[in-house]
């Protein structure tokens, strides 16, 4: 029992002297994780669009060659960045560039961290998006083609919105993994939450109490993210019910744009 | 005055080594309602899919208002805006409301303004009796309702010709009527339609041309009176006999 009260004392002492550092560290962690996950998603979606461009035997050879190269590049990108540790990728980019091009070419630490985590997440997301696209009924693509949509419009208007809805759980996984795994960015000197821990315990003998604080903070961040993602999922699903539009339809056709966005009854009657 | 919109010459289609369509020849004039009948597996869907290039024909040509469709500027997407398609399984966009389903092609492909697209969408949704449902998502509709929206979606693009691939085959029997009624109205209004169907009453009473397919070839074509009243082949007689009882 007194070990626990001792721990609480140590935790509160550590917090009262260093809470700002923890908060800044947590802020840097969450910002890096959220932005890099978002950028990773964009990379993944772009790869998804590029990878699924149909190529047929009677297309011209230049187009087929270009598509082949695009697919090969994406494959290599995915294999390399998914198949190596992110910590080494950070080292390669942060130390590798100056090794070849001199210290002047060294990237900003923060930029390097964002770059590495984004690219790494993108490699995972590319596969996630590809799987997501495959899971959409081919009838959706045919419906879009049949009204004259090209590949890009089919993807952006019809397929990817449905794909995104289906892969939100996977995006959530990536976000949560990133919140935790960005700690490896200490290797290039990026001071996120875990780096704060190292700095603080290096100065004082409070290794375990600081770890308790860190645990609690990581868990808080990940749980909040989970809850927000669930909320987003619900929102994308839209309302369970719909309103029957019973009023005279002339009112509807007279340029009432808001009607499309808000399907409230008041809008119909205006 | 009717002019020829679509002309299919010597079209054939192989899936690998399997020849599914052999030397198909026929043409569609404005205002024609052509029914394509034939046993399951005879290549009816493949023919429709070749016509709007969801499948690439192995050989032969498709002439649309003069030029071969391979030469149409804008390629397959531009051509498809002129040739609408209604599928057996509806293929409505699940992520959009009924209204959005009928607007998205107009705004994204034809670059109409939102107002104009909405007006056009409402016009056709009213015609198919789905105007009250503009806020519903496809999953909230019955099969017959979905198919009527799919017809409105195709019509909103103002195509020159509408292709229907067994539009009532996935429907519960009590919903077949509502979709056929819409199609009857369209036919009366002079919409050019090419309809794959097992509804022999529709083929006989509504269409002015009937094409009977068997094993990947067009075995017989003519007016409903000719094909139903005086079939020339034993296969046709046998096929039609299965629908009479
Ligand atoms: N994508 C495909 N690959 C291989 N064979 C196919 C494909 N689509 C259809 N077929 C074959 O082509 C034949 C005609 O099919 P289909 O056009 O769907 O007939 P129908 O619509 O008249 O029932 C069938 O034997 C079918 O198995
Ligand atoms: Mg079929």
């Amino acid at each position: 029992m007194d070990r626990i009260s001792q721990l609480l004392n140590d935790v509160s002492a550590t917090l009262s002297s260093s809470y700002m550092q923890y908060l800044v560290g947590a802020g840097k962690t969450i910002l890096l994780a959220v932005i890099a996950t978002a950028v990773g998603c964009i990379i993944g979606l772009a790869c998804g669009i590029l990878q699924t461009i149909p190529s047929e035997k009677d297309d011209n050879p230049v187009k087929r060659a270009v598509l082949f190269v695009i697919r090969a590049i994406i494959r290599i990108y995915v294999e390399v960045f998914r198949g190596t540790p992110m910590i080494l990728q950070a080292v390669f980019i942060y130390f590798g560039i100056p090794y070849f091009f001199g210290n002047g070419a060294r990237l900003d630490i923060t930029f390097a961290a964002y770059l590495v985590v984004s690219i790494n997440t993108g490699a995972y997301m590319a596969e996630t998006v590809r799987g997501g696209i495959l899971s959409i009924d081919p009838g959706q693509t045919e419906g879009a083609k049949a009204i004259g949509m090209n590949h890009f419009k089919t993807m952006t208007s019809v397929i990817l919105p449905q794909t995104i809805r289906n892969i939100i759980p996977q995006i959530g996984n990536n976000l949560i993994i990133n919140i935790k795994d960005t700690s490896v960015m200490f290797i290039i000197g990026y001071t996120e939450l875990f780096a704060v821990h190292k700095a603080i315990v290096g100065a004082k003998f409070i290794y375990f109490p600081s770890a308790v604080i860190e645990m609690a903070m990581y868990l808080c961040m990940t749980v909040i993210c989970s809850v927000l993602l669930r909320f987003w999922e619900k929102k994308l699903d839209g309302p369970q019910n719909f309103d029957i539009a019973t009023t005279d339809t002339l009112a509807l056709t007279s340029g009432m744009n808001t009607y499309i966005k808000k399907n409230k009854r008041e809008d119909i009657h205006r | 005055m009717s002019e020829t919109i679509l002309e299919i010459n010597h079209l054939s289609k192989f899936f690998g080594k399997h020849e599914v369509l052999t030397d198909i020849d026929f043409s569609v004039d404005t205002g024609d309602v052509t029914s394509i009948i034939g046993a399951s597996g005879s290549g009816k869907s493949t023919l429709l899919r070749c016509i709007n290039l969801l499948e690439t024909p192995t050989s032969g040509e498709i002439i649309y208002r003069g030029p071969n469709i391979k030469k149409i500027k804008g390629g397959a997407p531009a051509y498809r805006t002129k040739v609408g398609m209604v599928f057996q399984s509806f293929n409505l966009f699940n992520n959009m409301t009924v209204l959005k389903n009928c607007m998205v092609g107009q705004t994204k492909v034809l670059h109409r303004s939102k107002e104009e697209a909405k007006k056009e969408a409402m016009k056709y949704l009213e015609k198919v009796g789905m105007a009250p449902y503009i806020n519903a998502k496809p999953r909230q509709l019955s099969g017959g309702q979905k198919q009527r929206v799919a017809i409105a979606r195709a019509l909103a693009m103002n195509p020159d010709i509408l292709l229907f691939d067994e539009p009532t085959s996935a429907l519960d029997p009590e919903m077949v009527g509502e979709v056929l009624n819409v199609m009857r109205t369209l036919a009366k209004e002079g919409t050019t339609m090419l309809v794959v169907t097992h509804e022999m009453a529709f083929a006989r009473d509504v269409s002015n041309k009937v094409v009977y397919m068997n094993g990947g070839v067009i075995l017989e074509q003519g007016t409903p009176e000719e094909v139903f009243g005086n079939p020339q082949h034993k296969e046709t007689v046998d096929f039609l006999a299965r629908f009479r009882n």
Side-chain angles (χ1 to χ4, degrees):
Chain A
M1 213 50 219
D2 42 303
R3 288 320 293 160
I4 292 197
S5 62
Q6 178 66 44
L7 177 60
L8 289 178
N9 276 340
D10 287 344
V11 164
S12 72
T14 311
L15 272 181
S16 67
S17 66
S18 321
Y19 71 94
M20 245 354 249
Q21 279 163 278
Y22 284 112
L23 281 181
V24 169
K28 287 176 85 173
T29 290
I30 197 82
L31 216 60
L32 172 56
V34 168
I35 291 176
T37 307
V39 174
C41 286
I42 292 167
I43 296 174
L45 292 171
C47 289
I49 294 178
L50 291 171
Q51 265 180 313
T52 50
I53 298 174
S55 89
E56 293 189 3
K57 284 201 189 74
D58 53 355
D59 281 339
N60 76 55
V62 178
K63 184 184 166 194
R64 296 190 67 199
V66 170
L67 287 180
F68 180 83
V69 171
I70 288 175
R71 283 183 197 158
I73 290 173
I74 293 174
R75 277 302 340 137
I76 292 168
Y77 161 62
V78 168
E79 295 305 340
V80 167
F81 280 88
R82 206 177 47 164
T84 56
M86 190 158 72
I87 191 167
L88 282 177
Q89 293 164 13
V91 169
F92 261 61
I93 286 179
Y94 189 68
F95 299 105
I97 292 175
Y99 185 90
F100 283 106
F101 304 107
N103 270 331
R106 190 186 292 277
L107 296 177
D108 172 61
I109 289 180
T110 308
F111 181 75
Y114 276 80
L115 184 68
V116 170
V117 183
S118 300
I119 295 179
N120 186 278
T121 310
Y124 283 93
M125 286 309 299
E127 283 299 273
T128 303
V129 170
R130 194 170 68 87
I133 291 173
L134 288 177
S135 74
I136 304 290
D137 167 22
Q140 297 287 305
T141 306
E142 297 200 336
K145 279 181 168 178
I147 54 171
M149 287 194 183
N150 58 22
H151 177 71
F152 183 77
K153 285 170 187 158
T154 302
M155 279 292 155
T156 52
S157 301
V158 178
I159 306 301
L160 292 182
Q162 298 183 51
T163 302
I164 290 172
R165 164 64 190 87
N166 290 350
I167 65 174
I168 289 178
Q170 203 50 46
I171 294 175
N173 267 347
N174 274 312
L175 176 58
I176 282 165
I177 288 172
N178 278 343
I179 290 172
K180 299 179 298 173
D181 284 7
T182 45
S183 56
V184 302
M185 288 301 138
F186 79 85
I187 196 87
I188 58 172
Y190 185 77
T191 51
E192 43 63 70
L193 185 53
F194 190 67
V196 168
H197 167 74
K198 295 188 133 189
I200 288 175
V201 299
K204 308 167 196 152
F205 182 70
I206 45 160
Y207 208 100
F208 182 64
S210 174
V212 169
I213 295 170
E214 295 258 322
M215 274 285 194
M217 292 184 89
Y218 273 115
L219 195 58
C220 258
M221 290 193 285
T222 53
V223 169
I224 289 171
C225 286
S226 291
V227 170
L228 289 178
L229 280 162
R230 285 285 162 113
F231 186 72
W232 186 32
E233 247 177 76
K234 279 243 169 65
K235 191 151 179 257
L236 281 187
D237 281 342
Q240 284 302 304
N241 306 311
F242 62 92
D243 285 329
I244 297 278
T246 44
T247 42
D248 69 317
T249 38
L250 279 181
L252 296 176
T253 52
S254 55
M256 286 180 28
N257 274 327
T258 51
Y259 185 75
I260 304 163
K261 294 198 184 87
K262 306 184 218 152
N263 46 6
K264 290 201 197 115
R265 223 155 246 266
E266 298 87 87
D267 286 325
I268 306 173
H269 288 294
R270 249 207 332 238
Chain B
M1 280 297 289
S2 69
E3 68 175 310
T4 301
I5 303 182
L6 203 62
E7 212 181 306
I8 318 283
N9 292 328
H10 304 297
L11 184 139
S12 67
K13 172 70 184 171
F14 283 78
F15 285 114
K17 287 203 172 98
H18 181 34
E19 185 166 20
V20 175
L21 295 175
T22 311
D23 201 20
I24 300 287
D25 274 311
F26 77 99
S27 64
V28 177
D29 296 348
T30 37
D32 270 354
V33 177
T34 309
S35 290
I36 303 178
I37 58 174
S40 180
S42 57
K44 307 180 298 294
S45 296
T46 308
L47 175 57
L48 277 201
R49 294 168 60 81
C50 281
I51 290 176
N52 83 343
L53 293 180
L54 286 174
E55 302 286 356
T56 313
T58 310
S59 65
E61 50 180 15
I62 300 172
I63 313 281
Y64 170 77
R65 289 193 185 284
N68 187 314
I69 55 174
K70 284 184 186 148
K71 300 212 178 78
I72 288 175
K73 197 163 149 269
Y79 165 70
R80 289 196 191 108
T81 61
K82 293 285 157 203
V83 180
M85 177 106 170
V86 174
F87 300 87
Q88 183 174 351
S89 49
F90 327 123
N91 295 350
L92 291 180
F93 307 133
N94 294 327
N95 56 322
M96 299 177 198
T97 61
V98 164
L99 181 60
K100 204 69 201 301
N101 260 281
C102 298
M103 285 174 62
V104 66
Q106 299 185 65
T107 52
K108 297 267 152 112
V109 181
L110 302 179
H111 305 293
R112 289 182 185 156
S113 70
K114 269 205 166 141
E115 287 74 25
E116 200 187 343
K118 189 160 160 193
K119 218 167 130 185
E120 203 67 8
M122 287 309 301
K123 180 169 125 196
Y124 291 109
L125 283 168
E126 261 164 54
K127 178 180 292 261
V128 302
M130 287 302 289
Y133 297 87
I134 48 177
N135 296 318
K137 289 275 185 76
R139 67 184 142 88
Q140 296 162 324
L141 302 177
S142 72
Q145 292 175 326
K146 282 187 215 177
Q147 196 60 296
R148 287 187 280 147
V149 173
I151 293 173
R153 177 177 73 179
L155 286 170
M157 302 296 288
N158 307 119
D160 283 344
I161 172 169
L162 260 187
L163 314 179
F164 292 81
D165 189 5
E166 301 198 27
T168 57
S169 297
L171 302 179
D172 292 336
E174 72 267 27
M175 289 169 190
V176 170
E178 63 190 62
V179 172
L180 286 180
N181 281 341
V182 167
M183 292 170 64
R184 264 193 204 102
T185 311
L186 293 178
K188 242 180 246 149
E189 292 171 355
T191 315
T192 312
M193 300 165 32
L194 189 54
V195 185
V196 171
T197 187
H198 290 297
E199 297 293 331
M200 290 305 141
F202 180 90
R204 193 180 47 227
D205 305 336
V206 182
S207 48
N208 64 329
K209 278 189 194 170
V210 176
V211 170
Y212 171 65
M213 289 186 67
N214 185 301
V217 299
I218 293 182
L219 206 56
E220 252 182 83
Q221 56 180 321
T223 64
E225 293 74 29
E226 288 164 355
V227 175
F228 288 97
N230 185 20
Q232 301 297 306
H233 291 81
K234 185 179 175 305
E235 289 86 347
T236 321
V237 175
D238 292 346
F239 175 78
L240 291 174
R242 268 182 272 152
F243 288 90
R244 274 192 212 109
N245 40 37

